[in-house]
Amino acid sequence: MTEEQSEVTLEEYLHTALKIARQAGNVAKEASLLDKQVETKTSTADLVTETDKRVEELVISQLRHHYPTHRFIGEECAADGGKYPELTDHPTWIIDPIDGTTNFVHGYPFSAVSIGLAIDKTPVVGVVYNFVMDQMFAARKGGGATMNGTPIHVSKCTEPTKAMILVDTGSTKKERLLQSKFDVTYKLAKEPNPVESFRCIGSAAVAMCSVACGIADGYYENDLHCWDIAGGDIIVREAGGVTMFPTGDPLDVMRRGVLCAGTQELAAKLVAFTKQLEFPNTI
Ligand code: IPD
């Protein structure tokens, strides 16, 4: 294990990320009470506000101050730069300043600052702060997962018929992606072995943390980005759950989807369907 991955170092990274996420969340929460300037990005449902940009600048500048040799991938910088960011083995902070921007715009209470640190392309530290509900989810490799400092655990659900599953229409308007998501969800919703219930909450990071703390049993999506899932990935795994690409392949945060569940058994039963999902062509 390198020094960067030692428990002491990871704990220190987590401590720093927690402080910055709280500060960023406070800025976003204050801004949530004011009028918002909303612009669109890749589709009419892919929104960005001036607060997303301000919060991202704050998070990256603070992290860079602490870790000048690390790399950074932020949702809004990526949108501005035009070129899809590359993830290397180098320690890289992956930031979504407000995951659930549409919720933020509408006042729907699931919006979070998401910060993940990947080393060797795998998240090892994650913080997801739902600043509306003041819920701080956190984890580092080998240290367990917490919400507001209290350990959290996934549910033990193994059967779709007893499971609450989260899915989202997302911001894509591409027919191929939407059609496959609705087809898969329809197949999972109907007899002979229907999923008990589906919910849509509009933030991938909060959805993953909902699985991590056991209030939902699984979640899948086929049009996400690394910033939506990097923080949540380690939180789910440290809470005892599993994360993967919806085809059943190991999770690669640079591929454009995720499936997570409280148990391997439930994940396998969902993968039998989610492996039919379509994904964006870009990595
Ligand atoms: C969105 C949320 C949403 C997911 C969308 C994402 P953003 O992120 O995570 O749950 O369905 O695909 O784009 O744009 O609010 O950061």
Side-chain angles (χ1 to χ4, degrees), residues 32-224:
S32 71
L33 306 170
L34 308 171
D35 280 349
K36 300 168 190 86
Q37 282 170 32
V38 185
E39 292 165 42
T40 56
K41 296 189 286 185
T42 57
S43 77
T44 50
D46 190 8
L47 308 185
V48 60
T49 70
E50 75 283 8
T51 308
D52 294 70
K53 296 176 188 171
R54 187 148 64 97
V55 170
E56 182 165 306
E57 269 167 34
L58 182 148
V59 172
I60 294 185
S61 65
Q62 299 262 357
L63 284 169
R64 189 170 273 135
H65 169 75
H66 287 276
Y67 309 115
T69 62
H70 287 185
R71 294 185 187 166
F72 302 89
I73 295 176
E75 176 176 15
E76 308 315 333
C77 304
D80 279 353
K83 187 169 164 265
Y84 206 77
E86 194 195 345
L87 180 65
T88 65
D89 287 343
H90 204 77
T92 303
W93 294 89
I94 304 176
I95 296 121
D96 193 336
I98 301 182
D99 186 59
T101 302
T102 309
N103 292 345
F104 177 75
V105 168
H106 288 267
Y108 194 64
F110 302 102
S111 299
V113 177
S114 176
I115 303 176
L117 171 66
I119 300 181
D120 296 332
K121 302 192 181 78
T122 303
V124 290
V125 168
V127 172
V128 171
Y129 181 40
N130 179 342
F131 50 85
V132 188
M133 296 188 165
D134 193 22
Q135 293 179 331
M136 180 73 84
F137 294 90
R140 63 130 172 112
K141 187 179 167 190
T146 57
M147 185 188 80
N148 293 346
T150 303
I152 53 172
H153 305 282
V154 292
S155 78
K156 295 189 168 57
C157 181
T158 57
E159 290 303 322
T161 51
K162 299 212 162 39
M164 178 177 282
I165 301 297
L166 307 179
V167 63
D168 218 301
T169 52
S171 50
T172 185
K173 297 295 169 208
K174 294 199 177 87
E175 185 179 352
R176 183 177 63 87
L177 304 181
L178 276 174
Q179 187 69 58
S180 79
K181 181 152 47 185
F182 280 103
D183 285 350
V184 163
T185 306
Y186 174 63
K187 284 180 191 155
L188 276 165
K190 68 185 179 77
E191 298 288 3
N193 289 303
V195 158
E196 181 195 79
S197 54
F198 281 100
R199 296 289 182 270
C200 218
I201 62 171
S203 161
V206 178
M208 293 181 85
C209 291
S210 302
V211 172
C213 70
I215 61 171
D217 304 296
Y219 167 61
Y220 60 87
E221 261 272 40
N222 65 340
D223 185 25
L224 295 171

